[in-house]
Amino acid sequence: MSSVSAAAYLDVLQDLMARVSASQAPLVDKAAALIAEAITAGGVLQAFGSGHSEAFALELSGRAGGLVAANRIELRDLVLRGGAEPDVLTDPLLERDPGVARRLYELAAPHPRDVFVIASNSGVNGSIVEFAALVKARGHALIAVTSAEHSGRMASRHPSGLHLADHADIVLDNGAPYGDAIIPLRDGGHVCGVSSITGALLAQQIVAEVVRRMEESGVRPPVYLSANAQGGDEHNRLLEERYDGRIRRTTR
């Protein structure tokens, strides 16, 4: 049994990241192919995650070194863009409500060519599953990022009984164990979650493969510079104009 320490966490995390990278490489390649094709054809990458899985969407949208043609969808859009009362966000069970999915999709106003990435470690909450079903019903390609182990041990919280993975064209396993935390404690339980870190790894690997594919096909990929670097604002503004009204996050 691993002792609880920063060094122990790094040890197990390095092994896990190596396994995730190796096992998911073929699926990362397929996901990147879908995204590169969509962006080249004028589409946008739409990224959605709730709870801690929102971090995955943050990795894909509006960040230095990332794709400009990426839009982050979040539960806060209900208030910030949809006119809902702010106290709706105080509901701790909001991400379990299937009813918010349609409104989030409408607020995103995706184009037919847009491709979606939805992240959820458990893959069972109502808003996530309903959003995935809606995305597929509208004819979009869908990439899911989830924990196969955790999702496989959980009953869906959606009326259909389905999980996020059931709707996806491509399913990436973030390698997180059931419960997410990875270092066992002496008296039971575990500490130190991993899904955010392995999710960030997969997100950046996807970006790398999208850019590689676009460059190899002779297309200059639209990539952000840091807004805090010389010339970053001007560079980013010019690229963002291509997607006016379709992306709503800017790089920091």
Side-chain angles (χ1 to χ4, degrees), residues 104-128:
L104 289 173
Y105 182 89
E106 292 170 350
L107 290 170
H111 288 202
R113 294 192 183 103
D114 291 357
V115 59
F116 282 74
V117 178
I118 301 178
S120 171
N121 193 58
S122 67
V124 301
N125 283 319
S127 66
I128 289 288

Side-chain angles (χ1 to χ4, degrees), residues 57-72 204 222-241 247-252:
L58 280 164
E59 282 295 313
L60 288 176
S61 61
R63 67 160 300 152
L67 299 166
V68 177
N71 181 55
R72 187 171 84 253
Q204 294 300 336
V223 174
Y224 274 120
L225 293 179
S226 171
N228 297 309
Q230 189 70 30
D233 285 339
E234 294 78 9
H235 170 90
N236 296 339
R237 192 176 302 114
L238 286 172
L239 290 175
E240 287 173 345
E241 287 175 357
I247 58 172
R248 302 175 185 91
R249 312 289 179 246
T250 54
T251 188
R252 293 290 182 264

Side-chain angles (χ1 to χ4, degrees), residues 44-81:
V44 162
L45 170 61
Q46 302 279 356
F48 176 46
S50 63
H52 277 86
S53 294
E54 188 177 329
F56 188 91
L58 280 164
E59 282 295 313
L60 288 176
S61 61
R63 67 160 300 152
L67 299 166
V68 177
N71 181 55
R72 187 171 84 253
I73 300 166
E74 53 188 346
L75 292 173
R76 282 183 289 276
D77 290 343
L78 297 171
V79 174
L80 298 176
R81 302 190 58 250

Side-chain angles (χ1 to χ4, degrees), residues 67-234:
L67 299 166
V68 177
N71 181 55
R72 187 171 84 253
I73 300 166
E74 53 188 346
L75 292 173
R76 282 183 289 276
D77 290 343
L78 297 171
V79 174
L80 298 176
R81 302 190 58 250
E85 292 299 321
D87 61 3
V88 71
L89 299 179
T90 65
D91 181 359
L93 302 182
L94 183 62
E95 67 177 325
R96 298 185 183 181
D97 181 6
V100 305
R102 186 171 300 274
R103 184 59 176 148
L104 289 173
Y105 182 89
E106 292 170 350
L107 290 170
H111 288 202
R113 294 192 183 103
D114 291 357
V115 59
F116 282 74
V117 178
I118 301 178
S120 171
N121 193 58
S122 67
V124 301
N125 283 319
S127 66
I128 289 288
V129 178
E130 181 69 16
F131 195 89
L134 187 59
V135 163
K136 290 310 301 174
R138 295 293 188 270
H140 301 282
L142 172 59
I143 301 156
V145 182
T146 191
S147 164
E149 180 178 340
H150 192 115
S151 188
R153 292 174 60 178
M154 288 286 292
S156 175
R157 292 188 174 119
H158 188 271
S160 68
L162 297 176
H163 294 63
L164 166 61
D166 295 321
H167 293 289
D169 300 291
I170 298 171
V171 180
L172 291 168
D173 180 10
N174 65 23
Y178 179 74
D180 201 356
I182 202 166
I183 300 180
L185 300 173
R186 277 196 305 270
D187 298 325
H190 292 73
V191 68
C192 298
V194 297
S195 63
S196 295
I197 296 177
T198 57
L201 170 68
L202 289 170
Q204 294 300 336
Q205 288 183 318
I206 289 171
V207 169
E209 288 300 310
V210 169
V211 169
R212 179 183 66 81
R213 284 176 170 272
M214 294 182 74
E215 287 189 330
E216 288 180 353
S217 64
V219 178
R220 185 175 182 179
V223 174
Y224 274 120
L225 293 179
S226 171
N228 297 309
Q230 189 70 30
D233 285 339
E234 294 78 9

